Structures are given as C-alpha cells and as structure tokens.
Amino acid sequence: MIFGETIVALSSGRLPAGVAVIRVSGPNTRFVLETICGEAPLARRAALRTLYSYPDKAILDRGLTIYFPAPHSFTGEDVAEFQIHGGRAVVEALMTALTAMPGVRHAEAGEFTRRAFMNGKLDLVQTEALADLINADTEAQRRFAQRNADGAQSALYTGWRQRLIHARAMIEAEIDFADESDVPGSLADTVWADMENLAEDVSTHIKGFAAAEIIQDGFKVVILGAPNAGKSSLFNALARRDVAIVTDEPGTTRDLLDVTLDLGGLKIVITDTAGLRENAGTIEAIGIEKARERSRQADLVLALEDMSAPQPVETDWLKSDSIKVGTKLDLDCDPDQQGETYDLTISSLTGEGVAGLLAAIRRRAEQSLSLVGDVLPTRLRHVELLSDTLRHLRKARSGFGQPLELRAEELRLAADALGRITGAIDVEDLLDVIFSQFCIGK
C-alpha cells in the first residue's frame, strides 16, 4: 500500500544536538532527494551531500543522506534520511524547505510506524513492542520490548491461531466427508486433545500478565508504619535526595509520594505513605486510607517500626508480601531483640543496613518474575482477547453432544480473537489509539 502524501519529521532527540536525523517517507521521496541534494545517493549507502533550500537553492548544510527504496525500508515505501548538524536553525531551515515541496507535509504522531503496519512490515504486537522499546527506562524493559519487537510474541499467537484454523478445518472435513474412507473416525479425538492442550497454554500465558506489568510499570514497594517510624527518612535515603519532609511532628506525610529506582535492571517504584494511627484529623485520615489502599495493591510492603520507641502497626489485613524493618539502628536499641523481632534493621541516618534492604527488595522483585517465561501478554487488550480465545475454546471443548458445526464455529471465534491481537483481523478502530501514543518522527 502506497500512501498519496510524502511525510517528513525530525526523528532524533531534543535540539540542539550534535547530529539531527530527519526522515522522509512516501512517493515523492526520490524527488525530494534530487531537489535537496542534486541527486539521490545509491540505495542504502550513506553519502555526504550539500543540502540546498527550496525553491531558491541556497546552501543549508552539509550532511549524510541515505536512500531506502521501497519495499526495503522501515515503512515499506521509499524512505530517505538526512543526518545534519543538530542546531535549531539548521533543522528548521531544512524542514521548511522539505515541506515547501508539492505533496510533502509534516508527519503526524506515529505515522511512520502506522505506514509500516499498513504495508505489512510490522504487526500490531510488534508495533506496541516498538513503542515499549522507545520508552524503556531499564535493562529488563529493553530486553522484554526487544524480544517482542523481534516477533517472539507475534510468533506465539500466530502459531496458536494456525492450530485453531487447522483444528477447525479437520472438524469441518469430518462434517463434510464423514462417509469417505480417507477421513478417519478418530480424527476428532486428536483435534480435541490438541485443543485441550492449547487451552492450558493460553490460560498459563494469561497469568503471565502480572509479571509483564511488573517489568513495564515497575515492582511496587510501599513503605508503611506508624508516625515517626522513619518512613520518610528511608524514602529519602532510597531516593538519594530530600523528596519527603522529615520532622519530629507526627502526620507530616499526608499524601502518597513516589520515586522510581533501577535495581539490577528492574524498575522499582517506592511509595512513601502517611503514618497509620487512630484518632487522626480529617485530612490525615484521608492520607491513611490512601496508604492502606496503595498497600493492598503493592507487590511488597516494608513494615517499618522505630526500634527506639516501638509502635507496632497491625498488618494482618495486608495481602501483599511484606518485610518487617526495624529503623533508627543508630539510636539506643536492644540488640538481642533485633533479630527476633525484625527481618532487617537499618539506620537511614548512617546508611547501615540500607544496602541489605535494597538487595532484599531486588530479590523479591526477581522472584516475582522467575516463574514465567519470556513471552508474556504486554497489554490489557491482549489479555481481554486471549480471555475471549480461551472462552471460545472451552465452549468448543465442552460442547459434547452439540452439532459439530457449532463447535467448529467456536473455534473460528477463538482464532478471530487471536487474529485481532496481531492485527490480522478487524482492527481499524484500534489504529488511531495505538499510533497516537508514538512520538512525532516514529
């Protein structure tokens, strides 16, 4: 599919920069190259060229140009890249010259990737993975996104869909040719056994979404405790800067404060919360309820207690994993009670024990990811369609005694749900939402 207009955008980072990359895609790309450079360079070879303005032919800059003729390009169309000096005035002058040409306009957000999808260069899952790769902050996010961008997730869903299509074909063959000798009567048994295995695979895969959320959104750790238990001091120590206000006055923290850490390539989101106590004021009570709610949603809770003046906090209501942490190790504390009462002891003031706490958080985060494979559903959209797939599979398998035509129809619906994940079927209504999340130039 070739689009009628040629699009152009700055595809590199924020200006000014040492080098800026401007990308062009569409049917007028070769004309653009010949107009700006005098001639198009050889395909897929970088060439140093003097770049001229349009239409007055004034010299703009000297830079590298690369030409990718269709269909061997990112978008599947003719594509050109200009690598020029990254000054704002230089970039603006070249962009002005390019968009002054007939049939050339500024690209919209995600339009290059959308053209790649429409021209069959990427499917929807790879497109979403590409967005994740661009937005990756940690090594775990990068590896996860790169694997899916390379097609691992798409290959899994495509393989499952092919099994469904094959099963449906075999069932329909049994319906149409039941009297023929070359269609064995035991064929249905083999098909339904495979569908049983497929249903188990899909169910297990859906459960992996929790791990994917941890990789993408972060392992959520909540600091909980009574007022003056050292929550904000620990929060600042982990953040390595003064984020939360620390005073001797109880109830200083009334809202949730977040900071993101990178521990061994994993994204860890630490949340400081209001101190839990009875008879709090109206505003503080709202903060306490927020603390309880966030703790219920956490992957790990750090239950803090001031060892110099213990104020135990009831945590039986927690559903999350927790670590009981004794704080203010630098003050006078009973050393004989520390190991018996607390999982870890720390001093946010001196830093003693903080490294051990970080190591414990990292271990818990790694354990939460160790039970799943590398290929996981990465979007709630995927989970919803996979759940539809599983529902139709189960209806087809449990329909003993029903006409085979109805059970074959359930297999078709299951295959269609899988097809909508990768964009093989009926996804036009999703495209604007998906591609609007990309930056301009991608």
Side-chain angles (χ1 to χ4, degrees):
M1 180 185 297
I2 301 297
F3 293 81
E5 295 178 304
T6 298
I7 56 175
V8 57
L10 174 67
S11 293
S12 52
R14 182 180 302 175
L15 302 176
V19 175
V21 178
I22 293 177
R23 178 185 281 175
V24 180
S25 179
N28 291 351
T29 297
R30 188 175 183 90
F31 168 76
V32 167
L33 282 167
E34 292 172 346
T35 303
I36 295 294
C37 305
E39 62 178 344
L42 295 175
R44 292 174 295 281
R45 292 191 182 183
L48 182 63
R49 293 283 190 269
T50 299
L51 309 181
Y52 298 92
S53 64
Y54 177 86
D56 55 358
K57 292 295 183 179
I59 294 177
L60 297 176
D61 196 12
R62 282 177 61 81
L64 292 178
T65 63
I66 310 176
Y67 178 41
F68 302 92
H72 305 296
S73 69
F74 174 71
T75 63
E77 306 173 322
D78 285 350
V79 170
E81 288 187 1
F82 298 96
Q83 300 180 16
I84 60 175
H85 295 98
R88 291 189 178 91
V90 176
V91 171
E92 184 177 352
L94 182 54
M95 291 291 289
T96 299
L98 292 171
T99 54
M101 297 181 192
V104 181
R105 62 168 174 83
H106 289 283
E108 299 175 1
E111 192 167 3
F112 285 91
T113 308
R114 182 167 186 155
R115 292 190 178 200
F117 168 73
M118 298 301 291
N119 288 324
K121 291 293 183 177
L122 301 170
D123 62 31
L124 278 188
V125 172
Q126 290 174 299
T127 295
E128 291 165 329
L130 190 58
D132 292 338
L133 188 60
I134 293 170
N135 295 320
D137 293 321
T138 67
E139 177 61 15
Q141 290 174 329
R142 184 200 65 79
R143 290 197 307 266
F144 185 54
Q146 183 63 63
R147 180 170 173 78
N148 290 332
D150 286 343
Q153 192 178 359
S154 298
L156 178 67
Y157 298 154
T158 299
W160 284 350
R161 185 164 178 258
Q162 288 172 346
R163 286 168 66 181
L164 283 164
I165 292 172
H166 177 265
R168 181 186 169 205
M170 294 299 99
I171 295 299
E172 291 184 348
E174 184 168 338
I175 295 170
D176 295 338
F177 306 106
D179 296 331
E180 300 293 333
S181 59
D182 58 348
V183 180
S186 61
L187 182 62
D189 295 336
T190 302
V191 167
W192 296 121
D194 184 49
M195 292 301 95
E196 174 80 26
N197 294 333
L198 179 56
E200 293 178 3
D201 291 343
V202 174
S203 179
T204 301
H205 182 69
I206 291 172
K207 294 175 184 177
F209 182 58
E213 283 190 305
I214 290 174
I215 294 173
Q216 294 177 311
D217 300 334
F219 184 75
K220 298 176 178 60
V221 180
V222 171
I223 302 174
L224 200 66
N228 289 336
K231 300 184 300 299
S232 295
S233 295
L234 174 59
F235 184 74
N236 289 342
L238 295 177
R240 298 185 179 180
R241 65 183 190 276
D242 291 337
V243 181
I245 298 174
V246 179
T247 71
D248 293 331
E249 180 182 342
T252 304
T253 302
R254 298 187 176 186
D255 209 345
L256 304 175
L257 298 175
D258 293 329
V259 69
T260 300
L261 308 180
D262 184 339
L263 295 184
L266 294 174
K267 182 179 180 179
I268 311 294
V269 180
I270 309 287
T271 302
D272 187 21
T273 63
L276 304 185
R277 64 171 174 171
E278 301 295 331
N279 303 318
T282 303
I283 297 177
E284 188 179 350
I286 295 173
I288 291 173
E289 182 53 38
K290 286 185 177 181
R292 291 179 178 275
E293 182 61 28
R294 182 65 66 89
S295 298
R296 294 186 186 99
Q297 300 170 357
D299 300 303
L300 175 66
V301 171
L302 305 181
L304 269 58
E305 188 174 296
D306 179 356
M307 294 186 293
S308 65
Q311 297 182 57
V313 172
E314 181 60 52
T315 57
D316 290 344
W317 52 274
L318 281 174
K319 297 180 180 179
S320 310
D321 190 13
S322 64
I323 299 175
K324 191 168 185 180
V325 181
T327 63
K328 305 185 182 180
L329 185 58
D330 51 292
L331 301 180
D332 292 332
C333 306
D334 183 355
D336 295 331
Q337 297 296 321
Q338 294 174 18
E340 299 176 6
T341 308
Y342 308 105
D343 299 316
L344 292 168
T345 57
I346 64 166
S347 169
S348 300
L349 180 63
T350 66
E352 184 177 357
V354 174
L357 177 59
L358 285 171
I361 294 171
R362 176 179 172 178
R363 285 196 298 272
R364 300 296 179 96
E366 290 173 340
Q367 288 169 4
S368 70
L369 301 176
S370 63
L371 299 180
V372 296
D374 291 333
V375 181
L376 307 172
T378 57
R379 295 286 192 282
L380 184 58
R381 174 181 87 82
H382 302 169
V383 173
E384 291 171 346
L385 289 169
L386 287 164
S387 298
D388 286 346
T389 300
L390 185 59
R391 177 169 54 84
H392 290 302
L393 257 176
R394 285 173 171 168
K395 287 180 69 175
R397 285 173 39 242
S398 62
F400 296 110
Q402 292 185 355
L404 281 179
E405 291 88 343
L406 296 181
R407 300 177 71 186
E409 176 64 11
E410 292 295 339
L411 294 181
R412 183 190 69 80
L413 293 172
D416 285 355
L418 279 175
R420 283 193 289 274
I421 299 178
T422 59
I425 305 172
D426 186 28
V427 293
E428 189 64 33
D429 56 335
L430 286 172
L431 298 186
D432 289 341
V433 174
I434 291 173
F435 293 110
S436 66
Q437 300 173 12
F438 280 82
C439 56
I440 300 294
K442 192 63 180 176

